[in-house]
């Protein structure tokens, strides 16, 4: 049996994905929202963890998977990550890649593709939908670093400087520096403008 953990912020969609995957007799499926995602992943030790990149909270989970700060070993080194993605969000694709995700499934694709991807990723193989190729190409052209993207993404969700600093285990001053650097790189006038430009480009 392949143990699968589905992470999604919307209960209805989480239940639908779980029901879809449970129809496969070879899958043992569990589900969680973001509040308990880290704990569930650590305790269940699934073969594959399915993450929707469009969900608020996915960025934080990917940061934990990558290892965050302080030299911690990330979940991504112990659990195979598979992300549900859109080609129009290269920033999210880049974060997933840096978190060492193995599977990349287009959200506009068929359920069969998701099932195939889970099976491949569970075997340690990479799976990338061809339709996401353009998104990966755009990700390589982004001027922002992964940390700048994380700071901007959290700011876009309404977090204050202090909240971002706590979440990323950084000082307030370091967060301000990342914010200033990101604002300068995208040619924005201020933080709000930087968020607007980055969201329009699909980076956050």
């Amino acid at each position: 049996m392949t143990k699968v953990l589905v992470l999604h912020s919307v209960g209805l969609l989480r239940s639908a994905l779980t029901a879809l995957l449970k129809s496969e007799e070879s899958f043992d499926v569990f589900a969680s929202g973001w509040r308990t995602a880290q704990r569930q992943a650590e305790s269940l030790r699934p073969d594959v963890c399915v993450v929707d990149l469009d969900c608020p909270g996915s960025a934080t989970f990917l940061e934990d998977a990558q290892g965050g700060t302080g030299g911690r070993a990330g979940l991504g080194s112990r659990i195979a990550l598979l992300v549900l993605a859109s080609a129009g969000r290269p920033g999210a694709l880049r974060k997933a890649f840096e978190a060492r995700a193995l599977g990349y499934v287009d959200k506009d694709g068929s359920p069969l593709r998701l099932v195939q991807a889970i099976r491949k990723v569970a075997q340690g193989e990479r799976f990338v939908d061809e339709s996401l190729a353009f998104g990966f190409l755009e990700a390589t052209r982004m001027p922002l670093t992964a940390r700048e993207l994380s700071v901007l993404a959290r700011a876009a969700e309404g977090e204050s400087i202090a909240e971002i600093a706590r979440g990323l285990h950084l000082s307030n001053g370091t967060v301000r520096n990342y914010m200033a650097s990101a604002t300068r790189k995208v040619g924005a006038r201020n933080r709000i403008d930087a968020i607007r430009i980055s969201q329009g480009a699909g980076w956050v």
Side-chain angles (χ1 to χ4, degrees):
M1 294 286 284
T2 299
K3 190 184 294 184
V4 181
L5 175 61
V6 175
L7 300 179
H8 206 291
S9 59
V10 181
L12 182 61
L13 296 180
R14 186 168 64 241
S15 298
L17 278 171
T18 301
L20 166 69
L21 297 177
K22 279 186 174 180
S23 67
E24 296 293 322
E25 294 182 357
S26 60
F27 291 168
D28 190 14
V29 187
F30 302 85
S32 173
W34 297 115
R35 287 185 180 181
T36 58
Q38 180 82 11
R39 187 165 64 252
Q40 285 276 74
E42 291 282 6
S43 63
L44 288 173
R45 296 288 175 161
D47 298 300
V48 180
C49 188
V50 178
V51 180
D52 187 336
L53 291 183
D54 288 335
C55 288
S58 64
T60 301
F61 183 81
L62 289 176
E63 287 158 11
D64 290 334
Q66 189 177 357
T69 58
R72 294 183 291 118
L75 278 173
S77 64
R78 307 189 299 277
I79 296 173
L81 295 175
L82 183 152
V83 297
L84 306 178
S86 302
R89 295 199 61 208
L93 285 171
R94 179 165 165 176
K95 287 179 188 175
F97 180 79
E98 290 175 345
R100 297 184 291 276
L102 277 179
Y104 302 81
V105 177
D106 191 334
K107 294 176 68 173
D108 289 327
S110 70
L112 179 60
R113 296 289 287 172
L114 175 58
V115 171
Q116 292 172 337
I118 289 174
R119 287 183 174 142
K120 276 193 169 291
V121 169
Q123 295 171 0
E125 299 177 25
R126 187 173 294 281
F127 182 99
V128 181
D129 265 329
E130 292 180 4
S131 54
L132 297 176
F134 180 75
F136 274 106
L137 179 62
E138 288 297 300
T140 65
R141 297 173 177 170
M142 281 191 302
L144 303 177
T145 66
R147 185 59 79 192
E148 289 164 351
L149 281 170
S150 295
V151 168
L152 267 184
R154 285 172 175 263
E157 291 176 6
E159 292 188 17
S160 66
I161 293 293
E163 288 170 332
I164 295 171
R166 282 196 299 272
L168 296 179
H169 309 287
L170 301 170
S171 70
N172 288 2
T174 299
V175 170
R176 289 193 184 92
N177 288 340
Y178 279 126
M179 191 71 72
S181 176
T183 301
R184 183 177 64 255
K185 285 182 178 179
V186 302
R189 297 186 301 276
N190 51 45
R191 178 170 63 175
I192 301 301
D193 195 32
I195 292 171
R196 179 187 61 78
I197 291 171
S198 298
Q199 286 178 328
W203 299 339
V204 298

